[in-house]
């Protein structure tokens, strides 16, 4: 028993020494105080900052940064991105400098508008397609489908549902979203951390790319040579279209909090329209700050398609520049709907 106690003391001592050696930087003598209530603040408010001076140092000056951007001790937030952001204070005193950080969550000031829809047309859709990505190019519909051993890249005549061209993915890949830019198709896979690039006409595979900090592939869209990528969280990543490097991200938030499950996306009239996984609806997102400015309830559409055992959720949204209309479908739906979105 004594030997056991002795070994326990040695073990705890080693653990404490180990923890101490990893403590790293000296703790700051300062901390940041804000007017954020429980860490939350709206983007129509003024952020008020001050310091808690734990050791009563004589401070020479303080500089603040929010998400890397220099701000004043009182700053408006209307031009900042939503979501969790880092405040950094650099304090100069007695020929010394210390840095301390804190976080706040910036919420949108407005409640999302609620929209519904009118059906303009219905078209046939392959009931076996587990739709993951949908996009028009030259009045032709391109679709990416999922499930292991079933994933495909397809070119379709949307009016008839006829498959014009098809490429089957290797069995280990679960296909996800797609987008088309500069005559190239970009397609994601789910959990393999890999995306593919194809020639838009021939489906010849031109290259592949690895994800960065986004762990999974969900949806894609593009605008002005920037590719937008969702990963199933509240984050939408902005990729350089040449290098496919994740350069930054926005976080999708309402006036209440974050919205997760951002899935298939489409850029429409300066906004990102995004399916929310398992919600049978679409969020309309401001791509500059991540604010959800509207929601579209598509739940009734599911009752208009063939009811069968494999029927799954709404997923797939595409804008046709020729008709200037929006098309939506779902996983293993037998219909593609052309719709007009209207405010309730």
């Amino acid at each position: 028993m004594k030997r056991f106690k002795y070994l326990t003391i040695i073990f705890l001592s080693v653990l404490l020494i180990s923890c101490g050696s990893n403590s790293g930087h000296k703790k700051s003598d300062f901390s940041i105080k804000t007017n954020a209530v429980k860490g939350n603040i709206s983007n129509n408010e003024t952020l008020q900052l001050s310091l808690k001076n734990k050791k009563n140092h004589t401070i020479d000056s303080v500089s603040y940064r929010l998400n890397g951007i220099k701000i004043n001790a009182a700053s408006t937030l209307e031009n900042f991105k939503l979501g969790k952001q880092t405040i950094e204070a650099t304090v100069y005193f007695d020929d010394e400098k210390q840095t301390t950080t804190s976080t706040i969550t910036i919420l949108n000031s407005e409640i999302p508008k609620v929209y519904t829809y009118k059906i303009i047309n219905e078209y046939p859709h392959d009931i076996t397609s587990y739709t993951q990505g949908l996009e028009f190019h030259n009045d032709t519909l391109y679709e990416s489908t999922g499930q292991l051993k079933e994933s495909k890249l397809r070119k379709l005549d949307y009016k008839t549902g006829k498959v014009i061209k098809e490429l089957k993915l290797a069995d280990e890949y679960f296909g996800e979203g797609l987008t088309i830019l500069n005559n190239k198709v970009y397609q994601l896979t789910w959990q393999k951390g890999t995306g593919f690039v194809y020639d838009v006409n021939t489906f010849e595979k031109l290259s592949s790319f690895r994800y960065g900090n986004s762990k999974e592939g969900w949806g894609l869209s593009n605008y002005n040579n920037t590719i937008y990528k969702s990963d199933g969280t509240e984050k939408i990543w902005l990729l350089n279209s040449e290098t496919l490097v994740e350069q930054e991200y926005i976080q999708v938030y309402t006036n209440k909090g974050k919205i997760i499950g951002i899935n298939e996306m489409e850029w429409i009239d300066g906004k990102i329209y995004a399916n929310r996984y398992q919600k049978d609806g679409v969020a309309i997102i401001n791509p500059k700050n991540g604010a959800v400015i509207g929601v579209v309830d598509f739940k009734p559409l599911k009752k208009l398609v063939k009811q069968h055992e494999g029927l799954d959720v709404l997923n797939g949204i595409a804008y046709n520049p020729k008709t200037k209309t929006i098309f939506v479908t779902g996983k293993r739906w037998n219909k593609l709907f052309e719709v007009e979105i209207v405010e309730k």
Side-chain angles (χ1 to χ4, degrees):
M1 189 65 180
K2 288 182 179 180
R3 185 171 181 271
F4 175 76
K5 287 182 178 179
Y6 178 73
L7 289 174
T8 300
I9 291 169
I10 292 175
F11 173 76
L12 290 173
S13 299
V14 171
L15 182 62
L16 288 170
I17 292 169
S18 176
C19 289
S21 66
N22 289 330
S23 61
H25 303 293
K26 175 188 173 184
K27 286 186 177 180
S28 176
D29 296 335
F30 308 92
S31 60
I32 301 170
K33 295 191 292 183
T34 79
N35 61 327
V37 179
K38 294 183 178 180
N40 297 328
I41 188 168
S42 174
N43 66 343
N44 66 348
E45 295 182 65
T46 297
L47 176 65
Q48 305 282 352
L49 301 175
S50 60
L51 282 179
K52 184 176 181 181
N53 188 349
K54 302 173 186 176
K55 296 187 176 180
N56 295 317
H57 293 296
T58 301
I59 297 173
D60 298 321
S61 64
V62 184
S63 64
Y64 294 104
R65 290 183 177 272
L66 175 57
N67 199 25
I69 300 170
K70 190 171 182 179
I71 60 171
N72 298 319
S75 296
T76 58
L77 297 173
E78 59 185 356
N79 294 321
F80 283 89
K81 296 176 183 177
L82 303 185
K84 288 187 177 179
Q85 308 294 348
T86 299
I87 303 169
E88 181 182 84
T90 302
V91 189
Y92 298 87
F93 65 99
D94 300 333
D95 295 325
E96 289 188 44
K97 180 179 80 170
Q98 284 188 17
T99 299
T100 185
T101 62
S102 181
T103 59
I104 57 170
T105 299
I106 304 176
L107 304 176
N108 197 34
S109 60
E110 298 181 1
I111 299 171
K113 292 182 179 179
V114 179
Y115 295 86
T116 184
Y117 60 89
K118 293 179 181 177
I119 298 173
I120 300 172
N121 283 305
E122 297 180 10
Y123 301 102
H125 181 253
D126 184 358
I127 200 170
T128 69
S129 287
Y130 194 81
T131 305
Q132 301 285 64
L134 209 62
E135 190 162 309
F136 277 94
H137 178 70
N138 294 338
D139 200 37
T140 300
L141 188 62
Y142 289 72
E143 182 178 34
S144 174
T145 71
Q147 294 294 341
L148 296 175
K149 299 183 180 181
E150 296 180 24
S151 296
K152 302 178 183 71
L153 173 64
R154 282 177 158 181
K155 183 189 297 187
L156 306 167
D157 180 337
Y158 75 90
K159 292 182 179 178
T160 65
K162 178 183 177 183
V163 178
I164 300 170
K165 196 169 194 62
E166 180 177 281
L167 175 70
K168 188 178 184 300
L169 273 64
D171 287 350
E172 69 265 28
Y173 291 110
F174 191 117
E176 285 284 347
L178 66 76
T179 196
I180 300 165
L181 178 63
N182 298 327
N183 292 316
K184 295 176 182 177
V185 180
Y186 298 82
Q187 183 186 33
L188 298 176
T189 64
W190 182 24
Q191 293 180 318
K192 291 290 185 179
T194 302
F196 300 112
V197 184
Y198 310 91
D199 180 277
V200 73
N201 297 309
T202 65
F203 282 7
E204 175 191 358
K205 188 184 292 183
L206 303 176
S207 62
S208 63
F209 61 96
R210 299 290 297 173
Y211 307 158
N213 291 314
S214 61
K215 302 304 180 186
E216 295 184 352
W218 284 51
L220 286 178
S221 64
N222 76 82
Y223 177 71
N224 199 23
N225 288 319
T226 296
I227 293 176
Y228 294 80
K229 175 186 181 293
S230 64
D231 62 4
T233 69
E234 74 279 10
K235 292 180 180 178
I236 297 177
W237 300 82
L238 280 64
L239 279 61
N240 180 299
S241 61
E242 295 296 325
T243 64
L244 299 176
V245 170
E246 295 166 357
Q247 298 176 314
E248 56 179 317
Y249 61 82
I250 57 173
Q251 301 171 73
V252 181
Y253 269 73
T254 67
N255 59 310
K256 297 294 186 182
K258 66 182 179 182
I259 300 297
I260 63 171
I262 302 302
N263 201 3
E264 218 275 290
M265 300 184 295
E266 183 79 0
W267 185 282
I268 305 173
D269 293 332
K271 306 294 186 293
I272 294 173
Y273 284 58
N275 284 270
R276 287 193 62 206
Y277 185 55
Q278 297 287 2
K279 298 298 182 182
D280 288 319
V282 164
I284 304 173
I285 301 164
N286 180 339
K288 293 181 180 179
N289 65 0
V292 177
I293 58 177
V295 292
V296 190
D297 181 11
F298 283 115
K299 288 186 182 72
L301 282 182
K302 196 172 181 181
K303 296 178 182 178
L304 302 181
V305 301
K306 183 176 180 178
Q307 305 299 298
H308 63 103
E309 187 177 349
L311 183 66
D312 212 321
V313 296
L314 176 96
N315 198 51
I317 180 167
Y319 177 75
N320 188 344
K322 184 176 179 180
T323 61
K324 293 182 171 53
T325 52
I326 293 171
F327 292 72
V328 295
T329 189
K331 301 172 185 290
R332 299 199 172 107
W333 287 23
N334 70 325
K335 291 181 181 180
L336 172 73
F337 297 92
E338 183 179 6
V339 299
E340 176 189 355
I341 293 175
V342 292
E343 190 172 349
K344 276 190 174 180

